[in-house]
Amino acid sequence: MSFFYVSSGFISVYRKNEDILLGHLHAPVFLGVNFLYDAYFSVYFTGGHETVIYQGDVNTLQKIIKENHLEECLIYAMIANLNELYRRDLISGKFDSYQVIRSILLHYIDKPLGFRMQFGIASIIIKLTGLSRSHVMRILSELKKGGYIETKEGKLISVSDLPEKF
């Protein structure tokens, strides 16, 4: 088994069977450390344009961790990954489609501008939620008209005082 270390850029995490975007993990990030514990997840990853990924053997990683007493570092790396996916889970737990979109907007505005400029926000919302393009575009259009969001060529630039309800 292999582990992967993303030293720069980001990766997109997808659920394998349904091809659903689960979220993005930004460097520095370790992937595959779950193989140390025989925990397998049905996901796949894609890297961004300038993503640098190193691959190594899980047994070698385990040896390095034990010899250098890096268990605490491993825990922090795993918590960072779980935190990103947990935030995604919070988004999917909303009952109202506007609440889901609002959560995604608030989540993505915290991402670096360089990252946000690589993706259209409507595309991200559709991939994360499965909502129809027309529905997502209608809500984004109304938010833009109301001055709640600013986009440039479909990319999220700013978010301010999003209303709780649509």
Side-chain angles (χ1 to χ4, degrees):
M1 290 287 160
S2 294
F3 77 93
F4 303 91
Y5 173 67
V6 180
S7 65
S8 65
F10 69 93
I11 58 160
S12 302
V13 183
Y14 292 87
R15 190 178 307 143
K16 193 178 269 184
N17 297 337
E18 294 90 9
D19 202 33
I20 294 173
L21 177 65
L22 297 176
H24 299 96
L25 300 173
H26 297 269
V29 64
F30 278 99
L31 303 165
V33 293
N34 52 298
F35 296 136
L36 290 171
Y37 306 101
D38 294 324
Y40 303 96
F41 305 104
S42 185
V43 297
Y44 71 92
F45 309 96
T46 61
H49 296 112
E50 298 178 14
T51 301
V52 177
I53 302 173
Y54 297 95
Q55 181 179 359
D57 178 67
V58 169
N59 295 325
T60 304
L61 176 63
Q62 188 171 33
K63 183 179 175 187
I64 291 169
I65 290 169
K66 285 183 179 182
E67 287 176 357
N68 296 287
H69 307 288
L70 297 174
E71 292 84 358
E72 186 174 342
C73 292
L74 176 63
I75 290 169
Y76 286 123
M78 293 176 79
I79 287 172
N81 292 357
L82 287 172
N83 184 50
E84 181 66 21
L85 297 177
Y86 174 72
R87 288 182 69 167
R88 162 58 170 92
D89 189 58
L90 287 176
I91 291 168
S92 66
K94 305 290 183 190
F95 298 108
D96 172 298
S97 63
Y98 170 70
Q99 290 298 317
V100 172
I101 292 171
R102 183 179 186 276
S103 294
I104 293 169
L105 292 170
L106 293 172
H107 176 69
Y108 271 83
I109 199 62
D110 289 340
K111 303 284 186 187
L113 180 61
F115 171 77
R116 294 192 322 262
M117 294 305 288
Q118 295 183 45
F119 301 100
I121 190 62
S123 175
I124 292 291
I125 292 169
I126 292 164
K127 286 180 181 178
L128 285 170
T129 65
L131 293 171
S132 74
R133 182 167 190 74
S134 61
H135 184 66
V136 170
M137 295 306 286
R138 182 177 63 83
I139 290 175
L140 291 177
S141 175
E142 290 297 318
L143 291 174
K144 194 171 181 178
K145 276 189 223 172
Y148 297 109
I149 64 169
E150 179 186 353
T151 61
K152 180 178 180 182
E153 298 175 1
K155 313 316 195 264
L156 186 63
I157 302 297
S158 67
V159 173
S160 59
D161 301 322
L162 286 174
E164 289 292 326
K165 298 195 184 273
F166 185 70

